[in-house]
Amino acid sequence: MNFLNFDFRKAAILAFLVAIPLLSVNMQQRSKDRPWILQPFYFAAGITQDSYSSFSSGVRSTVRMYINLIGIKKDNEKLQKDISELQAKLSQMEELKRENERFNQLLEFRGRASSQLVPARIIGRDLLPDYDTITIDRGAKNGVAKGMAVVAVNGAVGYAIQVEENSSQILLLTDRYAVVDAIVQRSRVRGIVNGHAKDTCTLNYLNANDDVQVGDRIVTSGLDNIFPKGFPIGTVVSVQPDEYSLGKEVEIEPTVRSTNLEEVFVVAVTKEEEALLKSFEPAEPATSPESATTTTEPAQTTTDLKTEAKPSDKTTAKTETKPPVKTEAKKE
Amino acid sequence: MRQFGFLLSNYVLFIFLAFLLTGLQASLWLNLFGYFPAPYLWIPIICYWTLNRSPIEAVTMTYILCFVVFAMSGAPLKMIFALNIFIFGFVYLVKDRVLWSGPISFMLASGLTAFLFPIAAYLLSHWIENYPQNEFQFWDWLSRPLLTALFAMPLYYVFSFADQITQKNPPRNMETEVI
């Protein structure tokens, strides 16, 4: 009789418990779509996994970054150093390139000039700001003599007023004591260029009817026995009638600015003068010892003539009046 | 004789310093800073000697400095003499009225002299030279005294050291006081 005594409640619970896995297996097998009941789980699982994943990848990348930082720091330092070195080299290269261009210009200029030029570097400037002189690294030892002209690629610079063994002092054309015989390139009118201020010169001793216009180029006349003919001095920037005479006041902007100068040339002797000097040299020396000693003499004489060639008296009326007087007055 | 030797060595040392300083102004400054106005570096020497030496010694040094400056300038010698004597005269005149001593006062003296120097140069140029100055450079006039004053400070210690090694009494370390 106990067999009929069946507890339905217990049976129902047992059946439910058995049915859940069966239903689950069944549902999984039946449909490939996500069942609606599992969707929230998937959703939650997705969020959790994403969070973990993000967290772990974050930690991993942080750890990796931290581990790599040491290496990166070293690499960075090395790269920074490389960049600095390369930048320094680049600027050095840029400087060398510019220097090379400048030297090329100088060489080209030296090649086409009809004079024997001594290249020189500027090593100093005047102690007093009101006087425009520079010091160059070439002196008597290099064939520089007092009164020799100094030029740059683009024009006349000045002339030597004091010559030492290894250096020379150059009076720039902008100095108020500087005087150069000049002509207007277009109209061939002649005058004397005087230094005026830091960056200006004046063309003096002109007549009222002399043809000078703004923009005219002023070049050396070659008559002062200092500069060879035709070197640019500057450009006319203003022409006004002189208040105190019948002449004109002509202001010139020099072609060469002293503040841009680095290298200059000393015009040692023109090629014609050199040829002339060579023509005075004696014929081939004899082989005897006596004649060997005599051969040194003419060579010495040649150098003397070269150095003394400039202040000779091949002058004209205009040049005799001013330039020598001013230079002498200055250094004496 | 020994004293004379020390005095001579003091002169020689200061002349050497003068060449170093003027060379720095004319050449080294040009290489480092181009045509930016340079300080007048011989002026502090004249100031130092005028303030700390007898007038005869100071004038002698001033004359020697004229030749040092002349060697590195295109200015006429008469102009350099006039300017250096002006510096000496000015500092000597003020010395009797203001108690100059100590590095800061020396700095002020050098700066003030450098400030007056271009004005004196302009006026003396019109008086002495055949071709006087026809422009006044304001930027130079303002910047050079400042630089001169700045350089005067370390130079004071250099000059004091030079005095010490040549057995000259270094200057008393008192500050400016207007009497």
Side-chain angles (χ1 to χ4, degrees):
Chain A
M1 284 294 119
N2 286 337
F3 180 75
L4 291 174
N5 192 12
F6 188 75
D7 191 350
F8 282 101
R9 198 167 159 248
K10 282 183 181 175
I13 292 168
L14 187 68
F16 181 73
L17 287 173
V18 173
I20 287 173
L22 287 174
L23 280 169
S24 301
V25 171
N26 186 39
M27 276 194 295
Q28 211 171 11
Q29 281 176 348
R30 249 193 355 194
S31 168
K32 288 186 177 172
D33 297 330
R34 285 176 189 171
W36 62 270
I37 198 163
L38 294 176
Q39 275 184 3
F41 295 96
Y42 279 122
F43 180 72
I47 290 174
T48 319
Q49 281 175 337
D50 276 352
S51 305
Y52 272 117
S53 171
S54 302
F55 178 73
S56 63
S57 68
V59 170
R60 214 180 305 126
S61 65
T62 308
V63 171
R64 199 184 299 135
M65 199 191 294
Y66 181 76
I67 291 164
N68 287 343
L69 264 180
I70 303 160
I72 287 168
K73 201 180 169 188
K74 280 180 186 168
D75 285 351
N76 192 32
E77 279 171 5
K78 191 178 172 293
L79 286 169
Q80 287 287 353
K81 201 180 158 191
D82 286 353
I83 287 170
S84 305
E85 272 178 23
L86 285 169
Q87 274 176 339
K89 276 182 185 167
L90 193 71
S91 67
Q92 205 177 1
M93 290 291 285
E94 196 67 33
E95 186 60 33
L96 282 172
K97 194 184 155 197
R98 281 183 195 159
E99 198 175 52
N100 195 25
E101 282 170 4
R102 221 168 53 233
F103 285 156
N104 275 336
Q105 274 185 331
L106 292 173
L107 279 173
E108 195 192 327
F109 170 71
R110 194 180 175 181
R112 66 165 191 264
S114 63
S115 314
Q116 189 186 316
L117 303 175
V118 180
R121 267 180 193 277
I122 296 168
I123 54 165
R125 64 167 174 166
D126 206 300
L127 283 179
L128 301 173
D130 308 313
Y131 300 88
D132 269 358
T133 63
I134 53 168
T135 311
I136 57 168
D137 65 345
R138 292 285 184 271
K141 209 170 138 185
N142 311 97
V144 181
K146 200 172 171 177
M148 281 183 174
V150 176
V151 293
V153 178
N154 42 354
V157 173
Y159 47 89
I161 52 165
Q162 192 65 41
V163 179
E164 301 304 321
E165 196 63 18
N166 292 307
S167 66
S168 308
Q169 201 174 19
I170 310 300
L171 186 70
L172 300 179
L173 294 185
T174 46
D175 189 281
R176 58 184 186 272
Y177 282 92
V179 275
V180 180
D181 201 292
I183 50 169
V184 180
Q185 199 174 40
R186 182 182 55 82
S187 60
R188 316 309 287 175
V189 169
R190 200 172 145 221
I192 300 285
V193 170
N194 275 80
H196 181 66
K198 266 281 174 220
D199 292 317
T200 51
C201 298
T202 51
L203 183 64
N204 300 311
Y205 304 105
L206 293 173
N207 292 323
N209 53 355
D210 279 343
D211 183 12
V212 187
Q213 292 169 10
V214 173
D216 273 346
R217 184 179 250 209
I218 310 297
V219 296
T220 53
S221 69
L223 295 168
D224 54 11
N225 216 13
I226 297 174
F227 282 94
K229 193 177 179 180
F231 270 102
I233 294 174
T235 313
V236 175
V237 286
S238 78
V239 182
Q240 282 170 348
D242 198 336
E243 286 175 25
Y244 307 106
S245 72
L246 294 171
K248 286 177 174 177
E249 270 184 11
V250 179
E251 200 174 307
I252 303 167
E253 189 187 350
T255 316
V256 181
R257 280 184 178 273
S258 61
T259 46
N260 300 338
L261 281 174
E262 281 180 62
E263 292 97 11
V264 290
F265 285 108
V266 181
V267 184
V269 63
T270 62
K271 283 176 183 168
E272 291 80 21
E273 281 175 333
E274 199 181 13
L276 190 70
L277 289 166
K278 273 185 184 164
S279 70
F280 287 116
E281 284 178 15
E284 273 301 299
T287 47
S288 67
E290 288 91 358
S291 56
T293 49
T294 49
T295 50
T296 53
E297 293 279 337
Q300 185 66 42
T301 320
T302 313
T303 352
D304 289 347
L305 276 169
K306 270 184 193 173
T307 50
E308 293 298 325
K310 289 289 163 191
S312 69
D313 15 284
K314 192 180 74 182
T315 44
T316 58
K318 266 187 177 178
T319 51
E320 270 181 356
T321 51
K322 272 201 109 186
V325 176
K326 276 186 113 177
T327 10
E328 289 306 311
K330 181 161 193 176
K331 284 313 267 189
E332 297 308 312
Chain B
M1 192 65 192
R2 192 178 159 80
Q3 280 303 314
F4 179 73
F6 279 129
L7 184 70
L8 196 70
S9 61
N10 192 251
Y11 268 102
V12 171
L13 194 59
F14 269 88
I15 293 165
F16 176 70
L17 281 172
F19 271 106
L20 279 186
L21 291 171
T22 46
L24 189 154
Q25 185 192 329
S27 289
L28 189 66
W29 190 273
L30 178 76
N31 285 312
L32 294 176
F33 306 108
Y35 283 87
F36 188 81
Y40 301 109
L41 289 178
W42 80 96
I43 287 181
I45 302 178
I46 301 179
C47 289
Y48 187 86
W49 275 67
T50 313
L51 295 172
N52 302 304
R53 300 282 196 279
S54 69
I56 293 171
E57 284 178 342
V59 168
T60 312
M61 187 43 124
T62 305
Y63 284 151
I64 294 169
L65 280 176
C66 289
F67 295 108
V68 176
V69 174
F70 183 64
M72 294 186 204
S73 173
L77 190 58
K78 57 183 177 185
M79 189 66 190
I80 296 173
F81 266 120
L83 283 169
N84 280 359
I85 288 297
F86 162 78
I87 297 169
F88 164 78
F90 171 74
V91 179
Y92 190 73
L93 203 74
V94 180
K95 182 187 169 185
D96 288 342
R97 285 152 183 82
V98 180
L99 185 64
W100 299 102
S101 59
I104 294 171
S105 303
F106 173 69
M107 204 172 114
L108 286 172
S110 300
L112 188 62
T113 316
F115 183 76
L116 293 173
F117 181 79
I119 300 168
Y122 189 82
L123 296 174
L124 285 169
S125 168
H126 279 267
W127 183 35
I128 295 174
E129 288 188 276
N130 296 330
Y131 300 91
Q133 280 183 38
N134 38 32
E135 66 168 353
F136 192 82
Q137 297 165 34
F138 279 95
W139 168 240
D140 269 33
W141 182 47
L142 296 174
S143 56
R144 284 176 192 259
L146 288 173
L147 287 166
T148 309
L150 277 176
F151 271 79
M153 176 67 110
L155 284 177
Y156 178 83
Y157 294 104
V158 174
F159 297 157
S160 302
F161 179 71
D163 272 353
Q164 269 177 7
I165 57 173
T166 50
Q167 304 276 308
K168 254 292 186 203
N169 290 333
R172 289 167 298 161
N173 211 9
M174 288 183 292
E175 291 305 319
T176 311
E177 183 189 323
V178 180
I179 296 168

